[in-house]
Amino acid sequence: MRRPSSPPRGWGRGGVWLGAVLAAALQGCAVGPDFVRPQAPEGAGYAREPLAATAADVPGPGGAAQHLVASMDIPGQWWTLFHSAALDSLVAQSLAANADLQGAQAALRAADENAAAQQGVYFPALTANFTPSRQRNAVGTIAPTLTSGAPVFNLYNAQVNVSYALDVFGGNRRAVESARAEAEAQRFLLEATYLTLTSNVVAAAIQEASLRGQIAATREIIRIEREQRDLLQRQFELGDVALGDVRAQEAILGQAEAGLPALEKQLALQRNLLTALAGRLPSEEVSQTFELADLELPTELPVSLPSRLVDQRPDIRAAQAQFHAASAEVGVAIANMLPQVTLSGLYGGTSTALAQIFSPGNVFWAASGTFSQTLFQGGTLLHRERGAVAVMDQAAAQYRSTVITAFQNVADSLRALDADALALNASVRAETASRESLEIARRRVQLGSVGTGFLLNAEQLYQQAVINTLQARANRFADTVALFQSLGGGWWNRVDVAGESLQPLQPLQAPQPPPGERP
């Protein structure tokens, strides 16, 4: 049996250490924590008790019954479920011209380029330089530079330098890992911007439709009140009613008219918002207008499994990538505390004649290796490593907070949809009852059996009931939008360029150590 060969003479402890370093480099180890994707919350749900399908089913816009469908997928263009050509075209215009979305796209391009640039550390650095000069030596005092002894001469120097830092402890690999994770985070921040923009456009369109409905109802109420005022004025002239009754009706009319400018102002502001979301100035107002009657309420609503929500929400995926980047930066900080090994070499030539620069005797070369270890730097590297760990802990906490907020958003949307259905049923009943009560009050006032104060109360109740019903109808549309947004908006089903650049969903891993735990 052969005995292991001994290290070459002269190596000593340094040779053994260098061999260990080279062996580590070949094995490709990397210091710092290996990122482990956090698990989805176990046993998580959106409510303590199962959520029932919403029960509203009344005539008119937003009155259809909606049903919750577990594990139903979300289309990439979910807003098309409202079946509005005007809405589809406005969303398309916004996606093409919105400055926030364009800024997020540019940020993603920058992050991708930075990640690609960081990968340059895997390769040797190669530089070349050429230095021509004209010189004169002080040959009366100092020995001449040239062998010929000429005091004045031209000198040409050309050389190539090569250097390569051995990534012994994986600091460079961790830096590349961090840059790639930052690019991934920016990719999902772009998706979050995309989702926010489309949700805001649809929500603003729904709000505009609600305001138009409220304005139309208010104008109709004003018309009815004017007719009632004119009727009382004629009755007063005939002596059938007192002047106080006429003045009371004028107060009712004035109150209804006073509410109209506020609604028109809100509508103008909503139009400005839609125009801005479409990337335009207020003077370039969008042409699309919206009415609740032009929108169709989706009746089948997706409810993603809680375990899938962490994959679907772009903000969760961005927070996960930022957590990944922070964990890689810990490895970078640790590697900076360990020995650094750099190999370098140069090859060149020097001559007073350009054509003879690489002639025999004019060529020079050198090869060297540098082994450096920081012995003392006032604790700088240690504190940077501790700071990197703290940033990683912060990213882990931010990830957990983002997950909790995501579950809260879905739970809020589901609760809102349930409440919306009940509210619409109650509002429709209240509007029907108040309308009948108002007709009765008007007939009694005309007959003189009651005073105008009774009519005033009935009209106020009816006005409020009409507004409440319109708002309840709009709320069902708006909270449906909120549900699609809270579930991630179906970005994984998009077929446009931005969607195709995203990584496909990956299955959750088996249970791993707690997030952020260092080996």
Side-chain angles (χ1 to χ4, degrees):
M1 180 177 180
R2 296 183 59 185
R3 298 177 57 187
S5 60
S6 302
R9 184 174 300 175
W11 273 39
R13 294 183 178 178
V16 174
W17 174 248
L18 179 59
V21 169
L22 293 175
L26 292 175
Q27 291 174 2
C29 72
V31 295
D34 291 327
F35 180 71
V36 177
R37 183 182 179 190
Q39 291 289 290
E42 295 184 3
Y46 304 122
R48 287 187 176 181
E49 65 281 354
L51 295 171
T54 54
D57 190 6
V58 297
Q66 291 180 305
H67 306 282
L68 305 179
V69 182
S71 302
M72 175 182 173
D73 204 2
I74 304 173
Q77 295 179 317
W78 53 268
W79 54 89
T80 60
L81 298 177
F82 292 95
H83 298 287
S84 169
L87 181 60
D88 295 345
S89 65
L90 183 57
V91 171
Q93 292 175 20
S94 301
L95 291 175
N98 183 267
D100 291 336
L101 185 60
Q102 292 172 351
Q105 291 168 341
L108 174 57
R109 293 196 302 272
D112 284 339
E113 294 299 334
N114 289 335
Q118 186 63 46
Q119 295 182 72
V121 299
Y122 290 149
F123 303 94
L126 179 66
T127 61
N129 60 71
F130 174 67
T131 308
S133 64
R134 184 168 179 79
Q135 305 179 30
R136 185 184 189 284
N137 287 159
V139 294
T141 302
I142 304 175
T145 300
L146 301 182
T147 57
S148 65
V152 179
F153 57 92
N154 295 328
L155 186 65
Y156 302 96
N157 183 291
Q159 67 183 51
V160 176
N161 297 277
V162 180
S163 64
Y164 181 65
L166 293 179
D167 195 17
V168 178
F169 299 103
N172 290 339
R173 292 193 293 280
R174 291 300 190 194
V176 172
E177 179 184 352
S178 176
R180 287 176 175 171
E182 289 288 354
E184 181 181 9
Q186 195 59 55
R187 183 171 292 109
F188 284 105
L189 288 176
L190 170 60
E191 277 307 304
T193 303
Y194 179 99
L195 177 57
T196 299
L197 173 60
T198 53
S199 299
N200 286 345
V201 170
V202 179
I206 291 170
Q207 181 62 14
E208 177 188 324
S210 173
L211 289 170
R212 289 188 184 279
Q214 295 178 52
I215 289 172
T218 302
R219 287 174 175 168
E220 176 63 16
I221 291 171
I222 291 173
R223 184 190 66 80
I224 294 173
E225 298 302 345
R226 282 177 179 166
E227 291 179 353
Q228 183 68 19
R229 188 270 314 270
D230 294 342
L231 175 62
L232 289 175
Q233 180 66 34
R234 290 193 297 270
Q235 290 178 333
F236 168 72
E237 292 172 354
L238 296 173
D240 293 337
V241 298
L243 180 61
D245 294 333
V246 178
R247 295 292 181 260
Q249 181 59 33
E250 289 177 343
I252 296 172
L253 174 60
Q255 185 178 29
E257 291 175 334
L260 186 59
L263 291 172
E264 291 176 335
K265 182 189 77 171
Q266 293 181 50
L267 177 60
L269 296 179
Q270 209 64 27
R271 294 293 297 170
N272 289 341
L273 174 59
L274 282 172
T275 300
L277 290 172
R280 301 182 181 185
L281 298 174
S283 59
E284 304 168 327
E285 182 177 321
V286 295
S287 60
Q288 295 88 345
T289 58
F290 301 96
E291 303 278 355
L292 284 178
D294 299 330
L295 301 173
E296 182 178 326
L297 186 71
T299 57
E300 302 289 323
L301 298 181
V303 182
S304 302
L305 295 175
S307 60
R308 293 287 291 170
L309 186 64
V310 296
D311 280 329
Q312 295 177 180
R313 287 275 295 226
D315 55 344
I316 294 180
R317 297 290 292 270
Q320 175 185 305
Q322 289 165 344
F323 181 18
H324 187 178
S327 71
E329 287 298 326
V330 174
V332 173
I334 295 175
N336 289 337
M337 302 172 63
L338 299 173
Q340 310 295 315
V341 180
T342 303
L343 303 179
S344 58
L346 62 88
Y347 178 87
T350 300
S351 176
T352 56
L354 185 60
Q356 299 176 5
I357 195 170
F358 290 111
S359 297
N362 293 336
V363 174
F364 60 88
W365 60 266
S368 63
T370 303
F371 181 90
S372 64
Q373 169 67 61
T374 300
L375 300 179
F376 179 75
Q377 202 175 2
T380 299
L381 298 180
L382 174 62
H383 291 297
R384 284 178 179 170
E385 188 264 344
R386 291 176 178 176
V389 172
V391 171
M392 181 181 67
D393 293 341
Q394 177 189 17
Q398 184 60 48
Y399 173 84
R400 293 192 296 271
S401 175
T402 304
V403 171
I404 291 172
T405 300
F407 277 78
Q408 177 191 353
N409 293 156
V410 177
D412 289 347
S413 298
L414 294 174
R415 288 296 186 186
L417 287 170
D418 185 48
D420 290 343
L422 299 176
L424 180 57
N425 280 326
S427 295
V428 170
R429 291 196 302 270
E431 181 184 350
T432 301
S434 63
R435 183 188 304 111
E436 294 173 353
S437 176
L438 177 59
E439 292 300 325
I440 294 173
R442 283 174 176 161
R443 289 196 295 269
R444 294 183 66 182
V445 168
Q446 292 172 2
L447 295 173
S449 61
V450 296
T452 54
F454 183 79
L455 177 62
L456 172 62
N457 291 332
E459 290 178 331
Q460 289 176 335
L461 288 174
Y462 176 65
Q463 292 172 13
Q464 189 59 51
V466 170
I467 299 299
N468 288 345
T469 300
L470 285 168
Q471 291 175 340
R473 293 183 186 278
N475 286 343
R476 298 198 75 204
F477 285 99
D479 287 324
T480 299
V481 174
L483 177 63
F484 283 120
Q485 182 179 15
S486 66
L487 292 173
W491 58 263
W492 53 94
N493 289 323
R494 285 171 54 194
V495 295
D496 56 297
V497 174
E500 290 176 347
S501 68
L502 291 165
Q503 297 176 356
L505 294 176
Q506 300 295 329
L508 293 174
Q509 298 177 359
Q512 299 288 346
E517 180 176 310
R518 296 176 57 198

